[in-house]
Amino acid sequence: MGFLERFLEYLSVRVYWLRSLRVRRGIESSLSVGLLPLALLAYLSLFLDFGPWAGDDSIYFESHTHSFCDNAKYLYLYVHNRRLYDKYFWVSFVDDDYEKLRKRSLPVVKASASLYLRASTIVSSGTRTVFELGKWTRFVSLWHGLPLKSIFWLNKSDDGLYGGTLRRALCILSDPNLVSRNYYLLSPPSIFKKVFCLAFNLDESKLILGPYPRNYVFIGRLKGEEIDAYIPEDFPEDRRLILYLPTYREYRFSMDVDEVLPLAEIDELCSRYDALFLVKTHFFEELSSATRKYDRIVILDSSRDIYPLLRRVDILITDYSSVAFDFLYADRPILFYPYDFDEYVKYRAQYIDYNLLTPGPKARTPEELISKLRSLLEGDDEHRRARRIVRKLVWGDVSELEEKHFHELADKILRIVGGS
C-alpha cells in the first residue's frame, strides 16, 4: 500500500465521501495524471480570471461517484442515442470504466489536468469546489436527488460531519457563486426551485428546469444504460422484487444488515409470497455482516447503477433517500423504514415535515417492517392517491413524464454550451 493510498484511507474516517473505495481509487488515478496542478490553477483563477483553452466546445459528462451512473449518465446516453450533438465525452476516472465504454463505441476520455483546463462545459451529477474549476468553465450540475433531507445551507444542525465550522467551510467552498460565474443547476419545475436556491445559495435565474434524466427509465430504454447496471433480466420474471435502498448515514462507517433488518423473517415472508428481497446500500458504505446465506435475500453491488431495475421493482423500501421521489413515477408501493429517525435528524436537520412528502406506510421497528411488508404483499395499498398528489407536488410540470421533457432539457443545456 503506497503513501497516497494509506493517507486517503486515513482521511476516510473523517471525510465521508472518501469512504467509498471507488472514490479513493479515482482520486489516486486523478492525481497520477496531474490534477493536482489544476487545483492550483483553478485557485489562481479566482484572482487572475483567465481560461487558456476556453474555446473547446465539447461537453464533458462526469459522475460525482466516478462510476457510470446517475443523471449525468442518462443525459449523456440521451444525447448519444438521439444524436443531438457531435462533441461530447464521458470523463472516466477508472480504467475499467473507460474500456467498457470504449468497447461499446461510446465517446469517452480519461480524466486529466489538460482536459479540465480546456473544458468550457462540464455536466456533472454532483458539484465542485473553488479549487477544482476556473471561472471560465460552464458548469451544469444535474445533482443526484431531490433533498428530502437537508443539504448544504439548508442544514442548520451543529452535529455530525456537516455541523459547525466544517459545515460552513464546505458550503463556502462549494458555493456556486465562487466556483464559476457560469454555474447552472437542474431543478424540477416545482416547489423544489426555492429549495435548491436556498440550499445552494443560487439565484433562480441559474436554474435549469426539467426532469431528472435518470427517470427516463420509466418511459423508455436507452442503448448503453445496461453498462454497470442491474437490469430486469438479471432476476427471474416470475418473482416479485422488493428493493431495500437505505440512504447514507454519516455517523457510521458501515451498515450491519443483521442489526437493521430481521433477515430470517424477511426470508420466510419472501418465500411465502414468492418474492426476492434485494439490498443495495449507499455507495459510501460497505456491509459489515450478512454473511449468513438466505435463499430469498440478495445483496447487490453498491457501486452498480440500480435505475434500469426500477422498472421491475414491485415494492420499494427506503428511509430518507430521494429514490422515493423517483419511484413515484412507477406508481407502486413505497414502504418507509426510518428506524433511526430521532438520531438521524441530529445530523441532518429537517427543513420540511418528514410525513408530508413520504406517501407510504411507516415502520420504525423490525416488527412493524414485517407487518407493513406483509400487508403490501397481500395487495393492501392505501397510498395510491397520496403518491400521485406528492408526485405532482415535487415534480410539478414534469409529473407526467413524456419524451419531449427530456428533449427540451437537452436543448436547454446545448444552448448553454453554445453560449446563448
Side-chain angles (χ1 to χ4, degrees):
M1 182 182 294
F3 170 77
L4 179 58
E5 187 177 358
R6 291 195 302 271
F7 182 65
L8 290 174
E9 186 174 28
Y10 168 78
L11 286 180
S12 69
V13 179
R14 294 161 176 80
V15 183
Y16 80 102
W17 47 266
L18 287 177
R19 294 181 182 180
S20 167
L21 180 61
R22 190 180 187 91
V23 170
R24 296 204 299 271
R25 291 289 181 268
I27 290 175
E28 292 172 27
S29 174
S30 302
L31 293 176
S32 69
V33 296
L35 285 185
L36 193 57
L38 172 61
L40 177 60
L41 182 60
Y43 177 71
L44 289 175
S45 75
L46 290 173
F47 307 101
L48 302 179
D49 193 18
F50 69 95
W53 292 286
D56 181 17
D57 57 354
S58 297
I59 309 174
Y60 295 96
F61 293 86
E62 64 167 22
S63 168
H64 66 297
T65 69
H66 294 155
S67 302
F68 189 55
C69 67
D70 221 285
N71 284 319
K73 167 184 176 177
Y74 288 91
L75 184 59
Y76 164 83
L77 290 176
Y78 188 83
V79 170
H80 176 76
N81 278 245
R82 300 295 182 268
R83 301 180 184 276
L84 299 180
Y85 199 67
D86 294 330
K87 297 180 180 180
Y88 58 94
F89 300 92
W90 182 265
V91 180
S92 176
F93 287 80
V94 182
D95 289 342
D96 288 347
D97 291 349
Y98 175 82
E99 291 300 327
K100 288 176 184 176
L101 270 63
R102 187 184 62 81
K103 289 178 180 178
R104 299 290 190 95
S105 298
L106 289 167
V108 58
V109 293
K110 292 184 178 181
S112 68
S114 61
L115 182 152
Y116 277 84
L117 285 174
R118 71 175 182 267
S120 60
T121 305
I122 295 174
V123 177
S124 176
S125 55
T127 189
R128 289 282 181 176
T129 68
V130 295
F131 300 103
E132 297 174 292
L133 294 175
K135 280 191 173 182
W136 62 85
T137 304
R138 299 186 191 96
F139 188 82
V140 179
S141 175
L142 304 176
W143 201 234
H144 47 269
L146 303 187
L148 176 59
K149 56 201 174 206
S150 57
I151 60 173
F152 291 105
W153 292 111
L154 281 176
N155 191 5
K156 303 302 182 183
S157 173
D158 284 331
D159 293 331
L161 172 70
Y162 291 105
T165 302
L166 180 55
R167 176 182 64 82
R168 286 186 286 274
L170 289 172
C171 290
I172 291 171
L173 289 174
S174 302
D175 191 307
N177 300 291
L178 288 179
V179 173
S180 171
R181 68 161 61 93
N182 297 306
Y183 191 110
Y184 301 88
L185 178 68
L186 175 61
S187 167
S190 69
I191 59 172
F192 276 97
K193 291 189 296 182
K194 189 64 175 178
V195 171
F196 275 121
C197 287
L198 292 173
F200 285 83
N201 188 29
L202 197 64
D203 187 82
E204 192 169 327
S205 64
K206 294 294 186 177
L207 295 183
I208 301 173
L209 303 182
Y212 270 9
R214 66 192 184 194
N215 288 331
Y216 190 85
V217 299
F218 294 107
I219 67 167
R221 293 176 181 263
L222 293 170
K223 184 179 179 181
E225 68 176 29
E226 70 283 355
I227 299 173
D228 268 355
Y230 287 103
I231 59 175
E233 291 75 19
D234 289 336
F235 302 93
E237 291 185 7
D238 58 346
R239 294 210 175 158
R240 301 164 78 178
L241 298 183
I242 305 164
L243 178 61
Y244 178 50
L245 282 177
T247 197
Y248 176 67
R249 283 137 169 94
E250 62 196 37
Y251 52 85
R252 79 177 177 213
F253 191 82
S254 60
M255 177 182 180
D256 193 332
V257 175
D258 288 331
E259 293 183 2
V260 174
L261 299 173
L263 296 179
E265 291 84 351
I266 289 173
D267 189 64
E268 180 182 355
L269 191 65
C270 289
S271 180
R272 185 184 311 167
Y273 290 94
D274 198 17
L276 289 177
F277 191 89
L278 313 179
V279 179
K280 182 180 182 292
T281 61
H282 192 279
F283 70 93
F284 286 160
E285 289 188 315
E286 297 177 2
L287 294 174
S288 58
S289 62
T291 55
R292 181 179 172 185
K293 303 297 182 182
Y294 294 93
D295 292 336
R296 298 287 176 149
I297 297 176
V298 181
I299 306 298
L300 303 181
D301 182 347
S302 64
S303 68
R304 291 179 62 182
D305 181 10
I306 204 70
Y307 270 77
L309 183 62
L310 293 183
R311 298 187 185 100
R312 272 250 4 238
V313 170
D314 297 284
I315 299 172
L316 174 69
I317 303 177
T318 188
D319 36 43
Y320 322 103
S321 173
S322 66
V323 71
F325 293 141
D326 296 334
F327 198 67
L328 291 173
Y329 285 118
D331 197 21
R332 292 191 285 273
I334 305 171
L335 171 53
F336 293 90
Y337 186 38
Y339 60 86
D340 59 348
F341 181 82
D342 293 336
E343 184 177 16
Y344 185 82
V345 296
K346 293 178 183 177
Y347 297 86
R348 284 291 182 91
Q350 287 186 281
Y351 73 94
I352 195 169
D353 185 84
Y354 179 77
N355 293 311
L356 182 64
L357 295 180
T358 50
K362 312 293 189 301
R364 290 289 190 94
T365 66
E367 293 76 20
E368 288 180 348
L369 178 67
I370 294 297
S371 175
K372 303 291 186 182
L373 182 56
R374 181 183 294 111
S375 295
L376 291 176
L377 287 168
E378 291 177 353
D380 184 12
D381 182 10
E382 301 177 350
H383 295 83
R384 290 188 180 91
R385 183 170 179 272
R387 287 198 302 270
R388 290 164 189 169
I389 292 173
V390 173
R391 188 175 73 198
K392 179 63 177 177
L393 187 64
V394 301
W395 292 110
D397 294 341
V398 294
S399 60
E400 300 293 337
L401 282 179
E402 299 179 36
E403 173 79 22
K404 69 176 183 179
H405 294 143
F406 298 92
H407 203 290
E408 289 170 355
L409 173 62
D411 282 345
K412 290 176 183 178
I413 294 175
L414 290 177
R415 284 198 294 271
I416 290 173
V417 176
S420 61

